Amino acid sequence: MSRLVQLPIDAQLPEIIEALRENASLVLLAPPGAGKTTRVPSALLNADLFDEGRILVLQPRRVAARTTARRIAWERGEEIGGMVGYRVRFEKKTSAATRLEIVTEGLLTRRLQSDPFLEGVACVIFDEFHERSLNADLGLALVREIQRDVRPELKIVIMSATLDPGPIADWLGAPTISVPGRTYPVEISYDPQPSTKRTAERVSSAITRALREHSTGHILAFLPGVGEINRCLDLLDSIEGAEVIPLHGRLPPKAQDRAFAELGRRKIILSTNIAETPVTIDGVEVVIDSGLERQPRFDRAVGLERLETVRISRASADQRAGRAGRTGPGLCRRLWTESAHRGLATSIRPEVQRVDLCRAVLEVHAWGSSPEEFGWFEAPQTEIIEAAR
C-alpha cells in the first residue's frame, strides 16, 4: 500500500462501504481526479460485503477498461489477471482467482443473455455513467430487473463526475454520496473571439503556443475524430523535443497504450473523447480542447444512423479540463469564447434518445420483454422504437 498517494475519495471510503452495506444501490458523485474509479472497486473488494462473489466494473471504452484494471492491480501490488482482471472485445486477462473484473459495457449485455441471473456476481459498478451510452442504459435496466425480481442481494453502484444524481437515485431508490474537490487546480482560458480556421489548424497552433509558453509537462489535445487527428499529426510533423501520439478507438491496443507509457520525453497526445474517460495520463499539465466530438444520430427521414460533429456539453468540457489536474496544477485552453461556453448544453443527450435502437430492441425481445414495457431508466421515444421495429 506504500505506493498509494492520498486522493480525495480515500477519506469517504468507509462511508461508501457502509452505505452499500445498508442499501441495495448507491450513487457516487466525484469530480475528475478524486480517485473513484480505482479506489472504490478496490475498497469494496477488501471489505467483507460480498464473500466470494465477483465485482464487475463497467467502462465505456476498451482502453479505459485495460488501463483501469492495470492501475488497480498496480496499486494493490498484484499482477493483472490475478485478483484483478479485465475483459474487452477480443481480449481478456482473467483467471479463476479474479474477483474484480473490469469490462466494457457491451460485454455485460451479451453476458446477461446467456447468464440472466449473473451467477457469481455480487456487485455491478457503472463508472462514467454520465456518458449515457446505449449499452450502459440497457445494461443498467437489465441488472436492475435482476436485482428487483430475483436477486435482492445484488448491489448496484453508479459513479460519475458530472451526472445530476437526483433522477437516477430516485429511480434506484438509492442514497447519494458526493466527494468534494479536485486533486489539483486547473486554470481555464478561452479564445477572445470566434475563429473561422479549420479545427486541426486551430489545435496545432494552440499546441505550438503551449510548447512555447510551458516548458514542462505533457499536452493532451481533444479533437472530434480521426480525420482531424491525422491532419494535426501532419501539421505537427516538424515539432522537436516532444513525441506526437494519436489516441482513438480505431488504433490497436499497443498503439493506444503508448499514450499512457513512460517514454522519457515530453508527449503531445492527440485524442478523441476516448481520453475523457477515467484514465490518468500521468504528467499532463496542459489540455487543448477543440470543444467538438462525433456523435451517432438517427436520421428518421432516411431511417439510418450517421455520425455528426457537434459541440460538447459543459459536463464534457469539465471532464476534459479535469485531465490537466490529475497529477499537478494544470491549464486548459478552450478553443471557443466564454460567451459560447454559456450556450453549451448542460449535459450530453442520452444515446437511447438519439441513436438507432435496432439491436437494443432485439436484446429486449430476447430478454422476454417489449421495448414499451421494459424498465428503462429513461425510456426512448415511441418514434425511435417504431423505426427500430
Side-chain angles (χ1 to χ4, degrees):
M1 299 296 287
S2 60
R3 63 178 63 185
L4 294 182
V5 298
Q6 195 72 15
L7 294 174
I9 196 80
D10 293 336
Q12 289 183 259
L13 289 175
E15 179 186 358
I16 291 167
I17 292 169
E18 191 59 29
L20 205 55
R21 191 187 305 276
E22 297 178 357
N23 299 274
S25 303
L26 174 67
V27 178
L28 177 62
L29 202 64
K36 64 183 180 302
T37 297
T38 57
R39 298 294 167 84
V40 171
S42 190
L44 294 180
L45 183 60
N46 292 338
D48 58 346
L49 286 176
F50 308 127
D51 296 325
E52 295 302 314
R54 280 197 178 192
I55 301 171
L56 296 185
V57 182
L58 271 65
Q59 290 294 342
R61 299 175 183 87
R62 286 176 289 176
V63 64
R66 292 197 311 271
T67 53
T68 295
R70 290 169 184 160
R71 181 70 184 189
I72 294 174
W74 179 85
E75 288 187 349
R76 295 176 62 86
E78 300 170 1
E79 293 293 323
I80 193 71
M83 186 72 74
V84 181
Y86 68 86
R87 189 186 302 263
V88 301
R89 191 180 182 191
F90 304 132
E91 184 185 4
K92 69 174 183 176
K93 293 284 186 180
T94 62
S95 67
T98 301
R99 288 199 54 222
L100 178 57
E101 187 175 347
I102 320 299
V103 302
T104 46
E105 295 165 343
L107 292 186
L108 175 65
T109 53
R110 290 187 193 178
R111 174 172 180 168
L112 284 165
Q113 296 293 3
S114 59
D115 180 14
F117 298 116
L118 280 183
E119 294 182 5
V121 174
C123 178
V124 183
I125 301 175
F126 293 79
D127 196 15
E128 303 300 310
F129 188 71
H130 60 268
E131 293 201 12
R132 296 301 305 279
S133 74
L134 179 57
N135 281 325
D137 270 33
L138 180 59
L140 175 60
L142 294 170
V143 173
R144 174 64 175 135
E145 186 172 314
I146 295 170
Q147 181 195 62
R148 185 186 63 238
D149 295 344
V150 294
R151 290 197 53 202
E153 80 283 1
L154 180 64
K155 304 291 186 179
I156 298 174
V157 180
I158 304 294
M159 301 201 303
S160 173
T162 57
L163 182 73
D164 175 7
I168 187 68
D170 290 344
W171 184 74
L172 286 170
T176 298
I177 294 178
S178 295
V179 179
R182 177 179 279 134
T183 308
Y184 296 97
V186 177
E187 178 186 347
I188 307 291
S189 66
Y190 297 87
D191 276 359
Q193 58 188 16
S195 173
T196 57
K197 291 182 179 179
R198 296 170 63 184
T199 300
E201 280 75 6
R202 295 171 62 208
V203 171
S204 62
S205 295
I207 289 172
T208 302
R209 176 181 170 184
L211 286 170
R212 185 171 61 247
E213 296 178 352
H214 304 273
S215 58
T216 62
H218 305 314
I219 297 173
L220 173 61
F222 286 96
L223 295 102
V226 177
E228 291 85 355
I229 287 176
N230 290 338
R231 173 62 178 158
C232 205
L233 281 168
D234 292 338
L235 292 170
L236 296 173
D237 185 56
S238 60
I239 288 289
E240 296 182 356
E243 181 171 347
V244 185
I245 303 171
L247 178 60
H248 54 78
R250 295 186 196 174
L251 293 171
K254 286 186 178 180
Q256 290 178 339
D257 291 345
R258 188 163 182 78
F260 306 93
E262 178 55 58
L263 303 181
R265 55 187 176 279
R266 202 172 188 188
K267 294 183 289 190
I268 300 170
I269 301 158
L270 307 179
S271 179
T272 59
N273 59 4
I274 194 172
E276 278 183 37
T277 60
V279 180
T280 295
I281 303 176
D282 290 330
V284 170
E285 294 183 10
V286 179
V287 165
I288 308 295
D289 190 356
S290 69
L292 301 171
E293 67 178 350
R294 296 268 202 278
Q295 281 188 3
R297 296 288 179 92
F298 181 68
D299 189 334
R300 298 180 192 174
V302 296
L304 295 173
E305 191 174 271
R306 55 190 172 87
L307 286 175
E308 289 185 356
T309 302
V310 299
R311 289 280 185 185
I312 62 173
S313 67
R314 273 180 278 171
S316 292
D318 290 343
Q319 280 282 96
R320 293 180 177 191
R323 303 303 103 183
R326 299 300 293 269
T327 54
L331 169 70
C332 176
R333 171 83 186 280
R334 290 173 172 167
L335 302 184
W336 62 92
T337 64
E338 197 164 1
S339 61
H341 185 76
R342 290 193 290 270
L344 296 179
T346 303
S347 59
I348 191 172
R349 189 179 172 206
E351 282 192 351
V352 73
Q353 301 291 353
R354 58 179 168 83
V355 303
D356 178 18
L357 295 184
C358 282
R359 185 187 58 79
V361 166
L362 286 171
E363 294 272 9
V364 171
H365 280 298
W367 186 253
S369 184
S370 70
E372 293 85 357
E373 298 173 350
F374 185 61
W376 303 96
F377 164 46
E378 292 179 351
Q381 298 173 358
T382 303
E383 310 91 89
I384 301 180
I385 292 176
E386 287 304 318
R389 181 175 280 117

